[in-house]
Amino acid sequence: MSLFDHKLTEIQSMLEKKEVSIPDLVDESFKRIAAVDGDVKAFITLDEENARKQAEEAQSAGKTGILSGIPIGVKDNIVTKGLRTTAASQILRNFDPIYDATVVNKLHEAGTITVGKLNMDEFAMGSSTENSSFQKTRNPWNLNHVPGGSSGGSAASVAAGEVPFSLGSDTGGSIRQPASFCGVVGMKPTYGRVSRFGLIAFASSLDQIGPITRNVEDNAHLLEAIVGIDPHDSTSANVPAEKFSANLTGDIKGLRIAVPKEYLGEGVSEEVRQSVLSALKVLEGLGATWEEVSLPHSKYGVATYYLLASSEASSNLARFDGIRYGYRAENADNLIDLYKKTRAEGFGDEVKRRIMLGTFALSSGYYDAYYKKAQQVRTLIKKDFEDVLESYDVIIGPTTPTPAFKIGEIIDDPLTMYANDILTIPVNLAGVPGISVPCGFAENGLPLGLQIIGHHFDEKTVYRVAHAYEQATDFHKQKPGL
């Protein structure tokens, strides 16, 4: 049994009793990475020397805390001082940041030890981690299948037992979708709950950092450590930090659940649909009630998202020009030629596709027809959620319409790939919190995920429902046979 099969509270108890040491935990992580990451390819960069040094220092200092001494992997679009941060793009292949992201600072204060940076779709643009310019991450449950994306490395590293937890980022489902595909727990907090300072921007009004873990309790502990207002991020919300883990009582008697008919309709596979209906029966057995509702504008979510996200990406990625930092093309004739060559050579196809789409949507003559219209529809999608949540405590449905697809299966079909996020995108557009927890397995043995969505800044209820369901089932205890 791996040390990482234990919950955080159990690991801390073992540390206090001196049954294990912090260097043992870090050693366990690197041994597992050496054993399986040649197949999984979750990590882009490892920081073994520094991690082992930090482990020895932490052991000598005798610090205590629920996260103290625990190894963690960080998605490679979250900057880490002195540790290469590439966003899985050639344009940042030699970028060594000079500061830490706020979430990294908070985790250091809590005592975690960063073992390395995790693979992702380039600039978080993708749903399969096939768009990384370095390597394709594979699903630990079946190496021929994708782990999801863009936080594929973050989810795969946890599922493969390389680290007990990781950080990802979620713009349109990029934490929840890979968590579902890899059979782990992934939380997208309310927009503004976690600082984005130090997160390499894709779409600033949608991006949110969140935790990926083996179980709900650990997820709550990790989120507790990274929430809070940040003077470096004007979009971070001035909402008091909460002890989410204290609310995991298992009691959901009287809880009102809304189940959108759109989330169990066309495009959702029968085995996914049945897994959600089975989960609802479990929750009914725990004293909750559910009713079918409608989120009528959800069907416009994918089109709305790709217009808005691409428009924001067009603006955000203008900073990568070969002048200040990052890759710079050689043999340019003039400044304009330098811009063109640097961006042509540094960005991958998917990033270029989205920059072009966003630039078009923002251009004169098309702004009102596309970008402005998409913002108006976003408001309608947000209002759908607000209307339903006036009468219900949570919204529940599948995380993804199907289990993980095969590597290479739809990479050349962008529209099909984009539609894969149809159930997660509306949550980002509305800014509400959502979590994915394991809820079964497909016929081919791949995991399926249940998505639980809550009111703005009501992560505590989302966690309470997720934990109650988790304790009544054993899907989260299953591990891939790597």
Side-chain angles (χ1 to χ4, degrees), residues 13 32 37 57 94 104 142 144 152 158 166 215 229 243 250 275 280 292 323 325 353 386 403 420 459:
S13 176
R32 183 65 176 167
D37 207 58
E57 291 172 352
N94 294 317
V104 174
N142 186 325
N144 294 318
V158 174
S166 66
N215 61 72
I229 191 168
K243 197 78 172 167
S275 73
L280 289 168
E292 189 179 81
I323 302 298
Y325 59 90
R353 182 183 292 122
E386 290 170 350
N420 196 64
E459 285 85 356

Side-chain angles (χ1 to χ4, degrees), residues 383-446:
K383 190 171 187 308
D384 283 349
F385 278 93
E386 290 170 350
D387 289 346
V388 168
L389 288 167
E390 276 184 8
S391 305
Y392 298 91
D393 298 300
V394 292
I395 298 169
I396 285 182
T399 308
T400 61
T402 65
F405 44 89
K406 286 185 176 179
I407 290 172
E409 190 172 8
I410 58 174
I411 189 66
D412 296 322
D413 185 355
L415 292 180
T416 301
M417 184 74 81
Y418 295 170
N420 196 64
D421 297 329
I422 194 167
L423 302 175
T424 52
I425 278 172
V427 176
N428 295 78
L429 292 170
V432 292
I435 196 170
S436 178
V437 293
C439 72
F441 294 88
E443 284 185 15
N444 61 6
L446 291 171

Side-chain angles (χ1 to χ4, degrees), residues 51-70:
R52 292 188 182 279
K53 180 183 174 186
Q54 287 179 38
E56 294 291 348
E57 291 172 352
Q59 184 68 27
S60 300
K63 288 184 179 179
T64 58
I66 192 68
L67 300 180
S68 188
I70 310 294

Side-chain angles (χ1 to χ4, degrees), residues 96-303:
D96 296 324
I98 58 173
Y99 67 96
D100 280 322
T102 296
V103 290
V104 174
N105 271 328
K106 284 176 177 275
L107 287 175
H108 285 168
E109 289 168 7
T112 65
I113 296 171
T114 302
V115 298
K117 304 302 289 292
L118 293 158
N119 196 28
M120 55 183 282
D121 286 297
E122 184 180 2
F123 283 101
M125 297 180 188
S127 305
S128 64
T129 315
E130 293 173 280
N131 291 326
S132 168
S133 72
F134 293 98
Q135 61 196 22
K136 287 180 173 65
T137 299
R138 297 175 179 270
N139 192 317
W141 291 89
N142 186 325
L143 297 173
N144 294 318
H145 289 251
V146 302
S150 62
S151 305
S154 299
S157 65
V158 174
E162 297 176 310
V163 284
F165 49 67
S166 66
L167 285 184
S169 68
D170 193 310
T171 309
S174 291
I175 287 173
R176 290 158 291 147
Q177 187 250 27
S180 174
F181 279 4
C182 291
V184 292
V185 178
M187 164 64 92
K188 196 283 297 183
T190 305
Y191 182 80
R193 176 68 97 166
V194 178
S195 171
R196 293 184 299 107
F197 180 72
L199 174 68
I200 296 173
F202 164 18
S204 304
S205 74
L206 299 160
D207 297 338
Q208 192 66 179
I209 296 169
I212 296 176
T213 59
R214 287 271 190 93
N215 61 72
V216 173
E217 183 182 317
D218 288 1
N219 204 282
H221 284 303
L222 191 54
L223 186 62
E224 286 169 2
I226 61 174
V227 298
I229 191 168
D230 179 13
H232 297 298
D233 175 11
S234 61
T235 64
S236 64
N238 189 10
V239 176
E242 296 183 66
K243 197 78 172 167
F244 306 118
S245 57
N247 201 47
L248 307 180
T249 61
D251 180 14
I252 58 168
K253 287 185 178 66
L255 187 97
R256 297 159 302 169
I257 299 169
V259 180
K261 61 183 181 182
E262 293 84 1
Y263 280 36
L264 294 175
E266 185 182 354
V268 176
S269 74
E270 185 58 24
E271 55 191 352
V272 168
R273 186 173 173 275
Q274 289 302 324
S275 73
V276 172
L277 293 175
S278 297
L280 289 168
K281 284 182 182 176
V282 171
L283 294 169
E284 276 186 315
L286 296 171
T289 59
W290 67 273
E291 293 177 347
E292 189 179 81
V293 299
S294 179
L295 296 173
H297 295 97
S298 290
K299 61 185 176 183
Y300 305 117
V302 172

